[in-house]
Protein backbone atom coordinates (compact mmCIF):
# COMPACT_ATOMS: atom_id res chain seq x y z
CA UNK A 1 0.00 0.00 0.00
CA UNK A 2 2.59 2.65 -0.92
CA UNK A 3 1.27 6.18 -0.84
CA UNK A 4 2.48 9.68 -1.70
CA UNK A 5 1.93 12.16 -0.03
CA UNK A 6 -1.41 11.29 1.56
CA UNK A 7 -3.64 8.29 2.01
CA UNK A 8 -7.20 7.60 3.09
CA UNK A 9 -7.69 5.20 6.00
CA UNK A 10 -11.12 3.54 5.91
CA UNK A 11 -12.70 1.72 8.80
CA UNK A 12 -16.06 0.33 9.84
CA UNK A 13 -17.47 0.01 13.34
CA UNK A 14 -20.57 -2.00 14.21
CA UNK A 15 -21.78 0.21 17.06
CA UNK A 16 -21.17 3.77 18.23
CA UNK A 17 -17.77 4.07 19.94
CA UNK A 18 -14.94 6.41 20.77
CA UNK A 19 -12.35 5.78 18.07
CA UNK A 20 -8.65 6.45 18.44
CA UNK A 21 -6.52 6.49 15.28
CA UNK A 22 -2.83 7.24 15.78
CA UNK A 23 0.17 7.14 13.45
CA UNK A 24 3.62 5.98 14.61
CA UNK A 25 7.08 5.84 13.09
CA UNK A 26 9.24 2.71 12.96
CA UNK A 27 10.62 3.54 16.44
CA UNK A 28 7.13 3.56 17.94
CA UNK A 29 7.01 7.33 18.39
CA UNK A 30 3.55 8.83 17.98
CA UNK A 31 3.48 11.26 15.05
CA UNK A 32 -0.16 12.20 14.69
CA UNK A 33 -3.62 11.53 16.08
CA UNK A 34 -6.10 11.41 13.22
CA UNK A 35 -9.16 10.56 15.32
CA UNK A 36 -9.98 10.73 18.98
CA UNK A 37 -13.71 11.18 19.21
CA UNK A 38 -17.10 9.47 19.16
CA UNK A 39 -18.14 7.92 15.84
CA UNK A 40 -21.49 6.47 14.83
CA UNK A 41 -21.83 2.90 13.61
CA UNK A 42 -20.93 2.41 9.94
CA UNK A 43 -18.17 3.22 7.47
CA UNK A 44 -15.78 6.12 8.08
CA UNK A 45 -12.55 7.43 6.61
CA UNK A 46 -9.82 9.87 7.57
CA UNK A 47 -6.99 11.37 5.54
CA UNK A 48 -3.37 11.03 6.65
CA UNK A 49 -1.19 13.75 5.11
CA UNK A 50 2.48 12.75 5.27
CA UNK A 51 3.91 15.52 3.08
CA UNK A 52 6.26 16.62 5.88
CA UNK A 53 7.57 13.10 6.61
CA UNK A 54 10.48 11.18 5.09
CA UNK A 55 10.13 8.06 2.97
CA UNK A 56 9.74 4.97 5.09
CA UNK A 57 7.52 2.60 6.99
CA UNK A 58 4.83 3.94 9.29
CA UNK A 59 2.16 2.25 11.36
CA UNK A 60 -1.33 3.25 12.39
CA UNK A 61 -3.29 1.88 15.30
CA UNK A 62 -7.07 2.02 15.26
CA UNK A 63 -8.87 1.39 18.54
CA UNK A 64 -12.64 1.31 18.99
CA UNK A 65 -13.92 0.09 22.32
CA UNK A 66 -11.97 -3.04 23.25
CA UNK A 67 -10.91 -3.78 19.65
CA UNK A 68 -7.50 -2.70 18.36
CA UNK A 69 -5.84 -3.12 14.97
CA UNK A 70 -2.39 -2.03 13.79
CA UNK A 71 -1.41 -1.83 10.13
CA UNK A 72 1.71 -0.90 8.18
CA UNK A 73 1.96 1.91 5.59
CA UNK A 74 4.76 2.67 3.11
CA UNK A 75 5.49 6.30 2.24
CA UNK A 76 7.27 6.65 -1.09
CA UNK A 77 7.89 10.14 -2.48
Amino acid sequence: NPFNPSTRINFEISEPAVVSLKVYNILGEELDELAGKQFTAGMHSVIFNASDLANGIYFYTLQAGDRRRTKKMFLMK
Side-chain angles (χ1 to χ4, degrees):
N1 68 356
F3 70 97
N4 174 26
S6 67
T7 188
R8 180 180 305 272
I9 299 171
N10 300 309
F11 62 93
E12 181 176 12
I13 55 176
S14 59
E15 58 188 40
V18 173
V19 174
S20 171
L21 180 55
K22 296 181 180 182
V23 177
Y24 300 89
N25 64 17
I26 195 79
L27 300 175
E29 300 167 327
E30 184 180 323
L31 301 176
D32 201 356
E33 182 173 15
L34 305 176
K37 64 179 186 175
Q38 182 79 23
F39 281 83
T40 59
M43 291 292 300
H44 301 278
S45 66
V46 295
I47 301 292
F48 173 50
N49 184 348
S51 60
D52 60 335
L53 297 176
N55 288 347
I57 299 172
Y58 296 89
F59 298 91
Y60 69 86
T61 298
L62 174 70
Q63 182 168 348
D66 61 348
R67 302 183 95 185
R68 173 182 273 185
R69 175 171 289 173
T70 300
K71 293 211 170 189
K72 190 185 319 183
M73 303 181 287
F74 298 97
L75 174 60
M76 299 176 75
K77 294 184 180 181

